[in-house]
Amino acid sequence: MEEETSVAASARGLKAGTTLRTAAIMLNISDSAVFSALHFWHEFGRLRTSADAGPARAEEALLAACLLLASKVEEEPRRIRDVINCVQFAFNGEKLHNPHRYWEKKERVLLLEQQLLRALAFDTAVEQPLFYLLHYLSAAGASPAWCELSVCLANDCCASADCALRPARLVAAAALGTAAALLGKELPPQWHAVLGVEFGSLQEVSKAMLEVYTHTAHKTHNVSVSAETSEIKSSS
């Protein structure tokens, strides 16, 4: 039962991540706004009860509310009509043509945005892992492949609550280390201590990062990621 719950939560996270990233591309919104939106979504999900979850249409409206708020927080505001239309299309592939449905959905999204703000106690500041990651990569003199893979890991992992709700510095370090392990790169001894992160937490986040792709592989049947061969190892 616990495993089923974990799989269901991972599937919801992947659906939310795919929906928000697709909608963000259509809206020309940055990765930072997507990360903030997913952070809001995970945090709201953590605070509300299962009885509050509601049907799929409520989930779609919540994703729109999270992206709408994130676009404002990251100073990339978009019209609510555009956000609603793009999220709906990304969520179920349908366009919104009925004006009555639009006004109903707009009211629902605005209400959820207010509930979201109250749940967050109006604390909408979200630390961005990319801020730390780009500094780490620069200091490490990372190759283009290392940079690209690290950034992809940091962006994609926000579909998992185990990553999105962790400190940004830790997520950035995990992306750096996981990418290095996948590429077979050796890191200096105690490199994680230099970055101020605990090794056990680093491994937990790295595992969560890889599980995002593992669950995607189970769904698409064409991708495989081995956690064993890409494990971050301790150096003394």
Side-chain angles (χ1 to χ4, degrees), residues 89-106:
F89 186 78
F91 189 82
N92 57 28
E94 296 178 0
K95 295 182 179 180
L96 187 60
H97 298 293
N98 189 323
H100 296 293
R101 282 191 61 203
Y102 165 73
W103 288 108
E104 291 174 2
K105 187 163 288 190
K106 178 180 179 180

Side-chain angles (χ1 to χ4, degrees), residues 21-31 33 76 78 86:
R21 197 164 296 285
T22 302
I25 291 172
M26 291 189 284
L27 291 164
N28 194 26
I29 291 179
S30 69
D31 289 333
E76 304 175 47
R78 296 294 186 270
C86 289

Side-chain angles (χ1 to χ4, degrees), residues 94-125:
E94 296 178 0
K95 295 182 179 180
L96 187 60
H97 298 293
N98 189 323
H100 296 293
R101 282 191 61 203
Y102 165 73
W103 288 108
E104 291 174 2
K105 187 163 288 190
K106 178 180 179 180
E107 184 177 346
R108 176 65 174 161
V109 169
L110 290 175
L111 178 62
L112 280 168
E113 185 184 29
Q114 293 173 15
Q115 293 176 358
L116 184 60
L117 283 167
R118 286 195 292 270
L120 296 170
F122 292 87
D123 182 7
T124 58

Side-chain angles (χ1 to χ4, degrees), residues 42 71 80 88 108 164 225:
H42 284 298
S71 71
I80 186 171
Q88 172 165 317
R108 176 65 174 161
V225 177

Side-chain angles (χ1 to χ4, degrees), residues 130-154:
L130 287 180
F131 173 81
Y132 294 100
L133 180 58
L134 295 178
H135 281 82
Y136 296 164
L137 290 167
S138 177
S143 65
W146 190 3
C147 291
E148 184 176 353
L149 182 54
S150 297
V151 170
C152 286
L153 287 168

